[in-house]
Amino acid sequence: MTSLDQLKPHMRGIITDLHVGQELGRRMAGLGLRPGNTIEVIRLAPLKGPMQVRIGHTDLMLRRNEAAQIGIRLAP
Amino acid sequence: MKRIALLGMPNTGKSTFFNRLTGAGARIGNWPGITVDLLSAKILLGDAMVEVVDLPGIYNLHGFSEDELVVRRFLESQPVNLLVVVLNATQLDRQLALPLQLKTLGLPMVLLLNMADEANKLGVRVDAERLAQALGAPVCTLSAKFGSGFEPARQVLVEQLHRHPKLQLADKAAFGQDDSIEQELTALVSQSVSAPVQLPASVTDRIDHFMLHPWFGLPLFFALMFLAFQVIYSLGTPLQDGLDWLLGSFKDAWLLPAAQGLPPDVRSFLIEGLYDGLGTVLTFLPIIIVFFLVMAVVEDSGYLSRAAFLMDALMHRLGLDGRAFVMQLMGFGCNVPAILGTRVMRASGLRRLSMLTIPFSLCSARLQVFLFFISAIFAPSIAPLVLFSLYLMSFGLALLTALIWRRRYTSREPLLLELPPYRLPTPRFLLLEAWRHARQFLRAAGGFIVIGVVLVWFLTHYPFDAAPASAETLAGRLAALAAPVLAPIGLDSLLSIALIFGFVAKEIVIGALAVIYGLGGNELANLLAAKLDWVQAYSFMLFTLIYTPCLATLSTIRQESKSWGFTLLSTAWPLSLAWLVSFLFYQGARSLGF
Ligand SMILES: Nc1nc2c(ncn2[C@@H]2O[C@H](COP(=O)(O)OP(=O)(O)O)[C@@H](O)[C@H]2O)c(=O)[nH]1
């Protein structure tokens, strides 16, 4: 168990839980960030900027402090 | 009248489909109880007149963002014959959540699986029949952008309208419940969608490898921007010169001889007022079109969200975010839609801070003024650099403004943004964009620019016995009032008149100058070159860049912020900053001996 912000580029994991409010949780779910989905980190922006992640065919950017709220089980 | 409501998640191609379905006749309409304007169009579908309403993109029927509230309020209050739901066929794994939620409304529904072209390339296969059965709605596959599958989809809409001739309200109970649809979604996706597990490295990935590179990303971004301005400049200016030559020849060959017999005042009004004023503004039409074409390519390509990715780290430290930066870029076209674009921000502090910075974006109206001054006063070899320096200035001041005001407008808003694959716009889309902006420009030229030009003519010619634009005219007196403030930044009285009118709309500035000096096009440029040195000209441009948002932008800020206090700040802050920057530049350059 870890959180999304700990993942390095090209690492994959499965979302286990979202520690966010209901409103943000809904928006995340709409974009595919929901428990059970596999997520891959594509790249990190420099200067502690946002991270690019991929869920299915959707690429997203989100900041690392939001990523820290997303629980991940590392994929084998 | 029948009614179709168009729904979907953001970025699914909803607008593309709407435009293809309705042609160019869309209107912005007011709906009872709904504060934002919705786009709608009345069209003939089969044998019935149908009103098609384009609802904002939403992620969730039960969410609480402004857009989600708007959609819910619309569906609660307006009966419809048909819900048309646009989905991105490559992303059904998450997008099918929306039709699952909509199903509970009990309204007739049609599903459009858009971007079939991309789904094919990716090897995504959809069992449309399975999907139709599960959702109780016909399913069509199409590509709204390229048109394949569009006709059959249209036919399905006609059939469904026949089948459901009565307007129907959504089942109210459905809005209250927010059932968990996760299991249903997972089941539906695994039954009806199959996608290859291992994605091949896409073109987008390969491009992003460079575009989003940790070190080269930002330099590449600025290089691309510079390239874009070079393209605009080198394509646009010859066209502008050509149009100017045409207008001048027409004046010499036809207009002047034809106006021979008229009384001098009338002749001066018609030729030095209307014709020179409007003509000089009109010469910018080609460059404006080129400009918006380049913008359209950038916008449609998906690069803007990459810009947000690259700039977010910096913008975050300034109290803004990557989207605010993108709005800044959109503001290069026109500040008004950029201000409207801040609606995607939910935290009001973030939104206001963005609204405060957007008017510093060097919009296309200001671009006209700068192009005219730069080509009149600077050598062609350094002209693009001078222009680029103004763009940098525009960025710099926006950043400075954010830095100064961020404590007043703090916010903590999460940033979640899709990075779509790179796409190339179709020629059809570009033509439509060019046409749309040309029409807007011509309408402005026919409307408030005419009024502005006529007013300037009157001010610079009344009383009629005084020499035009001299100190005795109304304009002269107005300028005398402004002189104590504007003289220290190097602006003479006639330039200040043009600035006063530029407050209404920056499009008027050049037309006003033409009327003030009674000269159009090239002759005006030559006169300016003789009267002004580069320090004065640059100071004038700096002031024009910064001084106040135009009236249209201010009224949009007022409407969106719902606060007069904030609107006042949005006027006063840039005005003070403009004076300060021009003063420092002008006095600094003079004291250095320039
Ligand atoms: N490849 C492809 N791109 C499309 C299609 N339809 C729309 N697009 C592109 O998808 C992007 C988003 O489209 P838009 O209509 O603005 O989406 P909206 O946010 O849902 O209104 C634009 O770049 C369109 O050019 C399609 O059928 N195929």
Side-chain angles (χ1 to χ4, degrees):
Chain A
M1 284 291 284
T2 173
S3 57
L4 181 57
D5 63 319
Q6 301 299 321
L7 266 57
K8 305 238 157 359
H10 310 304
M11 280 170 79
R12 287 147 59 89
I14 293 166
I15 301 177
T16 53
D17 44 9
L18 304 176
H19 309 278
V20 295
Q22 193 189 27
E23 179 49 27
L24 182 57
R26 280 194 177 122
R27 207 142 44 96
M28 286 184 163
L31 284 162
L33 288 167
R34 54 169 93 222
N37 282 354
T38 303
I39 189 167
E40 180 185 352
V41 175
I42 304 296
R43 62 169 59 80
L44 307 173
L47 305 172
K48 294 251 177 294
M51 55 201 304
Q52 179 185 354
V53 298
R54 181 168 298 166
I55 310 141
H57 291 267
T58 307
D59 276 27
L60 296 179
M61 63 179 269
L62 76 170
R63 294 211 183 110
R64 293 183 208 185
N65 49 344
E66 269 90 50
Q69 322 277 302
I70 298 177
I72 296 285
R73 176 157 41 86
L74 282 184
Chain B
M1 172 88 69
K2 297 187 174 175
R3 185 180 290 142
I4 290 181
L6 210 55
L7 276 151
M9 290 197 181
N11 274 316
T12 50
K14 211 160 51 64
S15 324
T16 311
F17 177 76
F18 179 82
N19 288 340
R20 195 176 271 278
L21 183 69
T22 62
R27 294 266 171 284
I28 308 247
N30 265 317
W31 297 84
I34 291 170
T35 45
V36 295
D37 300 323
L38 298 177
L39 208 57
S40 72
K42 297 185 173 66
I43 55 162
L44 197 64
L45 263 182
D47 51 5
M49 275 309 276
V50 184
E51 180 180 32
V52 185
V53 187
D54 189 17
L55 295 175
I58 56 168
Y59 289 116
N60 192 311
L61 183 60
H62 302 290
F64 288 97
S65 75
E66 195 167 327
D67 285 345
E68 284 155 345
L69 289 175
V70 165
V71 169
R72 219 156 46 230
R73 210 158 304 146
F74 181 91
L75 292 175
E76 274 167 0
S77 60
Q78 307 292 327
V80 299
N81 296 79
L82 210 56
L83 283 185
V84 174
V85 188
V86 182
L87 305 172
N88 178 343
T90 66
Q91 302 177 335
L92 289 178
D93 50 338
R94 67 179 172 90
Q95 299 214 341
L96 280 174
L98 194 61
L100 277 176
Q101 290 181 329
L102 291 168
K103 199 174 80 167
T104 58
L105 296 177
L107 292 171
M109 199 161 63
V110 172
L111 252 56
L112 300 182
L113 307 186
N114 191 28
M115 313 220 179
D117 53 309
E118 289 185 0
N120 277 340
K121 261 187 223 138
L122 288 170
V124 176
R125 258 191 299 277
V126 185
D127 187 342
E129 245 158 66
R130 258 284 193 15
L131 211 55
Q133 249 171 26
L135 290 165
V139 175
C140 313
T141 311
L142 79 159
S143 164
K145 180 171 171 178
F146 299 104
S148 64
F150 174 75
E151 266 315 312
R154 207 182 113 99
Q155 232 24 68
V156 169
L157 295 192
V158 173
E159 279 161 29
Q160 290 298 309
L161 280 175
H162 264 289
R163 188 164 302 170
H164 306 283
K166 280 244 286 279
L167 283 168
Q168 228 178 305
L169 258 178
D171 176 11
K172 285 235 162 48
F175 294 109
Q177 69 201 48
D178 181 7
D179 291 332
S180 163
I181 47 165
E182 268 160 48
Q183 276 164 13
E184 219 180 328
L185 176 62
T186 313
L188 186 60
V189 170
S190 64
Q191 279 170 13
S192 53
V193 184
S194 72
V197 187
Q198 201 62 42
L199 288 180
S202 65
V203 180
T204 294
D205 284 337
R206 263 173 277 161
I207 300 177
D208 272 343
H209 183 71
F210 296 102
M211 291 302 193
L212 299 182
H213 191 278
W215 301 335
F216 306 136
L218 274 180
L220 250 170
F221 169 77
F222 284 105
L224 279 176
M225 298 289 285
F226 187 67
L227 192 75
F229 299 129
Q230 285 280 9
V231 168
I232 293 166
Y233 202 82
S234 52
L235 276 180
T237 30
L239 289 172
Q240 183 176 11
D241 290 345
L243 196 56
D244 183 45
W245 179 83
L246 267 180
L247 285 170
S249 315
F250 177 78
K251 177 173 153 184
D252 292 341
W254 295 91
L255 213 55
L256 287 177
Q260 257 331 304
L262 297 173
D265 280 337
V266 177
R267 202 170 60 207
S268 147
F269 173 73
L270 287 179
I271 293 179
E272 285 146 31
L274 277 182
Y275 189 81
D276 281 349
L278 271 185
T280 312
V281 174
L282 268 185
T283 55
F284 287 96
L285 182 61
I287 206 160
I288 293 294
I289 292 179
V290 173
F291 177 84
F292 277 105
L293 282 180
V294 173
M295 285 282 289
V297 174
V298 174
E299 206 185 319
D300 207 54
S301 69
Y303 186 58
L304 284 182
S305 53
R306 269 78 186 176
F309 181 81
L310 290 170
M311 291 297 286
D312 188 63
L314 175 66
M315 300 304 278
H316 192 36
R317 289 180 175 81
L318 294 171
L320 293 165
D321 69 16
R323 290 174 303 181
F325 181 75
V326 168
M327 292 308 149
Q328 204 78 34
L329 292 181
M330 301 275 298
F332 285 168
C334 173
N335 291 176
V336 172
I339 300 268
L340 291 174
T342 60
R343 280 182 185 165
V344 295
M345 301 169 179
R346 293 156 207 232
S348 90
L350 175 64
R351 201 165 167 213
R352 291 211 168 169
L353 195 57
S354 307
M355 286 203 267
L356 203 56
T357 60
I358 286 171
F360 292 105
S361 273
L362 194 168
C363 67
S364 61
R366 277 169 266 187
L367 179 66
Q368 291 173 30
V369 181
F370 300 155
L371 286 175
F372 196 87
F373 268 75
I374 290 174
S375 61
I377 296 188
F378 293 89
S381 55
I382 61 160
L385 276 176
V386 176
L387 185 60
F388 198 60
S389 76
L390 287 166
Y391 276 101
L392 287 184
M393 199 66 180
S394 145
F395 267 127
L397 289 168
L399 299 189
L400 179 75
T401 297
L403 200 64
I404 290 176
W405 291 94
R406 72 178 164 164
R407 264 177 242 299
R408 174 90 179 63
Y409 299 107
T410 50
S411 58
R412 292 176 46 90
E413 176 160 310
L415 180 71
L416 268 183
L417 215 58
E418 204 185 328
L419 295 168
Y422 285 109
R423 299 184 172 116
L424 274 178
T426 55
R428 179 192 141 96
F429 172 78
L430 289 181
L431 268 176
L432 276 175
E433 275 302 281
W435 167 235
R436 198 161 67 87
H437 287 290
R439 216 175 38 179
Q440 249 168 27
F441 185 85
L442 290 174
R443 201 177 292 152
F448 66 90
I449 297 181
V450 170
I451 297 172
V453 162
V454 168
L455 253 175
V456 176
W457 183 84
F458 181 75
L459 287 177
T460 47
H461 286 71
Y462 188 86
F464 293 124
D465 49 359
S470 63
E472 290 81 53
T473 60
L474 288 179
R477 279 180 242 168
L478 212 61
L481 281 180
V485 187
L486 295 180
I489 60 175
L491 302 189
D492 69 13
S493 58
L494 296 178
L495 286 180
S496 47
I497 308 252
L499 281 181
I500 291 169
F501 280 90
F503 170 69
V504 178
K506 310 244 166 35
E507 282 97 335
I508 300 180
V509 171
I510 293 296
L513 279 174
V515 175
I516 290 169
Y517 291 112
L519 294 169
N522 253 332
E523 296 163 333
L524 177 61
N526 293 338
L527 181 78
L528 286 176
K531 274 180 65 96
L532 304 174
D533 66 358
W534 75 268
V535 179
Q536 271 174 308
Y538 200 78
S539 175
F540 176 80
M541 290 195 288
L542 280 177
F543 196 80
T544 307
L545 170 65
I546 315 166
Y547 74 128
T548 56
C550 67
L551 219 49
T553 304
L554 277 179
S555 71
T556 312
I557 291 178
R558 155 80 193 110
Q559 171 201 319
E560 295 296 309
S561 68
K562 302 189 182 63
S563 152
W564 281 109
F566 181 73
T567 312
L568 191 67
L569 174 69
S570 309
T571 321
W573 167 250
L575 196 57
S576 337
L577 199 59
W579 192 84
L580 197 69
V581 170
S582 299
F583 180 79
L584 288 179
F585 169 78
Y586 184 74
Q587 298 298 343
R590 284 286 185 250
S591 65
L592 287 177
F594 286 110

